Amino acid sequence: MSEAVADVLRKLTVVFTEFEGRLEQTPLIRKLTRGRFELADYQAFLVQLRQQVKDGALWMSRAASNIDEAHMELRSTLMRHAVTEHRDFRLLEADYVATGGDVNLIRSGEKNIGSEALSAWMFHEASGPNPFGLLGAMWIIEGLGSIKAQEWGRKVKETLALPDEAVRFLLYHGENDAEHIEEFKAMLAMVLPDESVARRIVKTAQVTARLYALQIEEIVA
Amino acid sequence: MQRLAQAYITGVGAFLPGAPVTNDRIEDHLGRIAGRDSLFGKKALRWNGVESRHYSMAPDGGVSHTNAQMCALALSQALERAGLGVGDLGMLAAATTQGDYFVPGHAAAVHAELRAPPLEIASFQSVCGSSLMAAKAAWNSVRTGEHRVAAACAGEFSSRFFRPSFYEGTTLVDEKGRLRPEADFLRFTLSDGAGAIAIEDKPRPGALKIDFIDIVSLANRFDPCMWAGAAIETRADMMTSWAHVGPRAAHHAGAIALLQDFELLKRVIRAWIGVYLQKVDEGRIVPSEIDHCLVHYSAKSLRAEIVSLLEDTAGMVPEAKWFSVLREKGNVGSASIWLMLEGLVQSGRIKSGEKLLCVVPESGRALVGFMVLEAV
């Protein structure tokens, strides 16, 4: 593996661990880790997650459409990702309904301040030519899927005594950690070495992490 | 600003009480909760990889050495190996997780046991990381020119707290007599002993120059991960800590025991790795320059994914360069890093010019310390 890829991966790991520490301090996650999570907290969380997951495949598609012919393989990868994920928000709706929630409420749920900022940022980044910085955003969001989702899902299920059907997105959506990193390394190798791209990837990860945490901070049931 | 002087570790000492105790004899020493063998113990031993340890407390409850006595013995050896006597010592920094008394500090007890003349002392109470806190104070006292000779010690007498009476009659034991894993894990993990270093303003043959000691606390992020003094469920609320409810109620609530939250530990491990990789990224730690890596954590207990992540991020020191005594001497909390350093120094494997990286993670409330040494 090239030095450039290792350097970016190291910086991204630092960003992720700081992000995880910030999440840990949010009111919502404090309630979860301290065993004080309530059904309303979980439902409010699902509402925000749905809007953001729905946008995920959309910004990824937009990013793919802005990738030039010199990076066709990366374009293919992003398109595959978008296809895999673009219906995932339905799973969140089903989870919400299984908790006793009304599907119309989650579908019409309004993004909170953090979700608005996160969504706007993603589409903004995806709209420029060769938006490689978004690899940093993928690192953060997929890292949540592979590292945090199951941990949160288990704790939610245990605390609220929910059936599996109500926690499917968190429990089963998470990807295999090792595979996820291998694929991500391959994507980095498609755009590196390039100093300005490397900087942009890290910066995009930092902004995405901050705005994602803002979304969680703003969830108050 | 005036430049600080260099300072060197010129002697390393260790003390382990009594004969080694093998895995099958642990509960003969500590006692059995409700008279039954622990079901969780074997699992804990697989995780921590410890095969042998030492206890200051005999099966009949007799104590061979106090924490302070063990520290004094380790200090005497460190000073002797440096060619120094207690009279040369200007400053003593002592570390422990729990001293022999609540009050006063551990350093006072160690000073008394050491029978040294009047000197400056400093007490550091934390968990494993207290070792480096004390070392940094001692190092700085020499670097600033306040003292020519300083020493740091760290000692643990954990087995005292692992006796059945600390758990029986509390909510930590269920109706079938099973101790909660949060408590049982540590009974099978921690043991007793002490380690010490002597620090001087001039090198001697075999001395180790201290390049830096960096300590980073992440207590702002996490609730307590390894603690005593609060019940498991309410530990984040310090208003409920043991002294507020009184000793009897606190004991009943399971607050008078050393406890570990495993779920949180997984997150804390990732945070430690984040801090480490940041040091690598800043060029503070250069993995390729490290000849000996002493980590107070066994590489075996790091999940394979974490090792491969360190490799992917050019942060891994090859496992062949790791040195540890955890398996044979036990996990002695704050003393462990000095036991490892002592083992490496005594092995004669350190060559002039080589660099040593010591890593001391403390799950307590998420802290990690790093020390880089260079062989003179």
Side-chain angles (χ1 to χ4, degrees):
Chain A
M1 195 179 57
S2 83
E3 204 178 309
V5 171
D7 278 350
V8 168
L9 214 47
R10 182 170 62 249
K11 289 177 201 293
L12 289 176
T13 303
V14 172
V15 173
F16 190 86
T17 58
E18 285 173 352
F19 170 52
E20 200 180 356
R22 194 185 277 277
L23 288 175
E24 188 87 9
Q25 297 171 65
T26 60
L28 187 83
I29 301 303
R30 283 280 194 234
K31 281 181 94 172
L32 182 64
T33 59
R34 292 176 181 174
R36 294 177 186 187
F37 209 65
E38 293 166 61
L39 183 61
D41 295 315
Y42 181 47
Q43 289 178 331
F45 179 52
L46 291 178
V47 169
Q48 292 308 314
L49 219 50
R50 178 203 178 268
Q51 320 313 333
Q52 177 239 309
V53 167
K54 186 169 75 81
D55 280 356
L58 304 182
W59 64 252
M60 235 180 262
S61 307
R62 185 179 295 189
S65 75
N66 280 315
I67 289 175
D68 67 16
E69 289 170 22
H71 300 87
M72 294 291 275
E73 194 49 44
L74 182 62
R75 192 200 283 175
S76 302
T77 308
L78 286 183
M79 287 163 77
R80 275 197 304 274
H81 265 256
V83 170
T84 312
E85 293 177 16
H86 85 291
R87 291 173 201 273
D88 279 354
F89 67 96
R90 293 286 181 218
L91 192 55
L92 281 156
E93 291 176 359
D95 283 354
Y96 186 80
V97 170
T99 66
D102 174 354
V103 74
N104 294 314
L105 279 181
I106 188 168
R107 284 187 182 160
S108 62
E110 207 173 290
K111 287 176 181 154
N112 70 26
I113 292 168
S115 304
E116 289 284 4
L118 179 63
S119 174
W121 158 252
M122 293 303 205
F123 283 112
H124 165 77
E125 271 302 288
S127 303
N130 284 336
F132 302 147
L134 282 170
L135 290 179
M138 289 174 71
W139 173 259
I140 294 298
I141 290 170
E142 294 192 5
L144 281 165
S146 63
I147 294 174
K148 302 303 289 181
Q150 282 203 9
E151 174 192 308
W152 285 343
R154 278 196 302 270
K155 191 80 183 164
V156 165
K157 188 171 142 64
E158 173 199 314
T159 311
L160 302 177
L162 288 170
D164 265 18
E165 303 89 82
V167 202
R168 281 188 303 166
F169 182 84
L170 289 178
L171 285 180
Y172 306 116
H173 170 259
E175 289 165 59
N176 178 297
D177 212 13
E179 275 175 36
H180 156 69
I181 288 188
E182 284 312 307
E183 191 192 29
F184 190 76
K185 271 157 46 181
M187 283 197 278
L188 286 179
M190 293 172 197
V191 297
L192 297 173
D194 179 321
E195 251 184 63
S196 67
V197 168
R199 271 200 304 275
R200 194 65 199 163
I201 290 171
V202 175
K203 184 68 176 286
T204 306
Q206 287 169 328
V207 175
T208 305
R210 185 63 194 92
L211 296 180
Y212 198 103
L214 186 61
Q215 169 186 273
I216 303 293
E217 276 166 43
E218 290 287 329
I219 297 175
V220 186
Chain B
M1 199 179 85
Q2 203 184 333
R3 277 180 65 91
L4 293 168
Q6 296 290 0
Y8 305 84
I9 296 177
T10 55
V12 188
F15 178 78
L16 292 166
V21 175
T22 50
N23 286 357
D24 54 327
R25 301 262 299 141
I26 292 175
E27 289 199 293
D28 293 342
H29 261 263
L30 302 177
R32 290 174 170 77
I33 312 297
R36 295 196 192 96
D37 286 351
S38 165
L39 293 171
F40 186 72
K42 285 203 174 93
K43 205 178 197 179
L45 290 165
R46 268 202 306 280
W47 286 344
N48 64 34
V50 178
E51 291 175 8
S52 168
R53 77 282 294 142
H54 296 254
Y55 294 127
S56 236
M57 183 162 275
D60 65 3
V63 171
S64 66
H65 301 82
T66 65
N67 187 339
Q69 283 169 344
M70 291 189 276
C71 285
L73 288 163
L75 278 164
S76 299
Q77 189 179 56
L79 291 169
E80 188 191 315
R81 284 176 173 166
L84 298 163
V86 287
D88 298 312
L89 202 54
M91 190 271 188
L92 167 64
T96 186
T97 303
Q98 284 168 309
D100 296 302
Y101 297 138
F102 286 147
V103 180
H106 188 49
V110 177
H111 178 198
E113 292 297 335
L114 193 60
R115 299 179 201 287
L119 49 75
E120 179 176 343
I121 58 168
S123 296
F124 292 85
Q125 189 274 317
S126 198
V127 198
C128 308
S130 60
S131 53
L132 290 186
M133 297 175 192
K136 188 154 188 176
W139 175 48
N140 278 337
S141 82
V142 174
R143 281 212 296 169
T144 54
E146 285 209 24
H147 297 286
R148 295 192 54 209
V149 180
C153 66
E156 301 290 359
F157 188 171
S158 310
S159 62
R160 298 178 281 198
F161 306 106
F162 296 151
R163 279 174 295 163
S165 59
F166 276 80
Y167 310 102
E168 288 168 350
T170 77
T171 55
L172 295 171
V173 179
D174 70 13
E175 63 281 4
K176 289 181 180 163
R178 287 173 305 198
L179 181 60
R180 283 185 67 153
E182 288 91 336
D184 219 8
F185 175 74
L186 295 174
R187 288 182 84 226
F188 285 84
T189 299
L190 300 174
S191 54
D192 308 338
I197 53 170
I199 299 175
E200 291 182 74
D201 58 354
K202 287 186 184 60
R204 292 164 42 85
L208 300 165
K209 178 164 74 74
I210 300 177
D211 277 356
F212 65 82
I213 298 174
D214 287 356
I215 298 168
V216 180
S217 164
L218 302 172
N220 61 319
R221 298 183 190 171
F222 299 103
D223 283 340
C225 184
M226 181 187 154
W227 75 99
I232 293 171
E233 279 74 19
T234 57
R235 72 183 184 277
D237 176 11
M238 273 190 263
M239 294 304 281
T240 67
S241 80
W242 75 274
H244 302 187
V245 296
R248 281 173 204 276
H251 179 255
H252 182 258
I256 312 295
L258 279 170
L259 299 159
Q260 173 93 68
D261 179 332
F262 305 102
E263 279 304 311
L264 179 52
L265 182 60
K266 290 178 200 160
R267 308 201 288 281
V268 169
I269 289 172
R270 289 197 291 270
W272 289 336
I273 287 167
V275 175
Y276 170 73
L277 288 177
Q278 187 154 24
K279 298 276 174 201
V280 173
D281 204 57
E282 291 162 354
R284 183 81 162 159
I285 295 171
V286 183
S288 60
E289 289 179 357
I290 302 300
D291 300 291
H292 304 280
C293 183
L294 286 70
V295 184
H296 181 201
Y297 206 86
S298 85
K300 277 193 200 125
S301 0
L302 284 179
R303 298 181 316 160
E305 297 99 281
I306 290 177
V307 172
S308 73
L309 178 67
L310 287 172
E311 284 164 354
D312 282 347
T313 54
M316 186 71 182
V317 175
E319 219 174 314
K321 294 182 177 179
W322 286 41
F323 179 85
S324 177
V325 297
L326 282 175
R327 190 168 55 87
E328 59 272 25
K329 294 185 181 172
N331 183 339
V332 194
S334 61
S336 270
I337 197 66
W338 305 137
L339 295 178
M340 289 196 219
L341 187 61
E342 196 260 353
L344 182 64
V345 167
Q346 292 302 114
S347 75
R349 281 159 58 175
I350 305 174
K351 296 186 199 73
S352 174
E354 285 190 332
K355 282 204 170 193
L356 285 67
L357 169 65
C358 301
V359 183
V360 184
E362 166 175 307
S363 67
R365 198 153 185 171
L367 174 144
V368 59
F370 306 94
M371 177 170 67
V372 168
L373 306 172
E374 197 176 335
V376 173

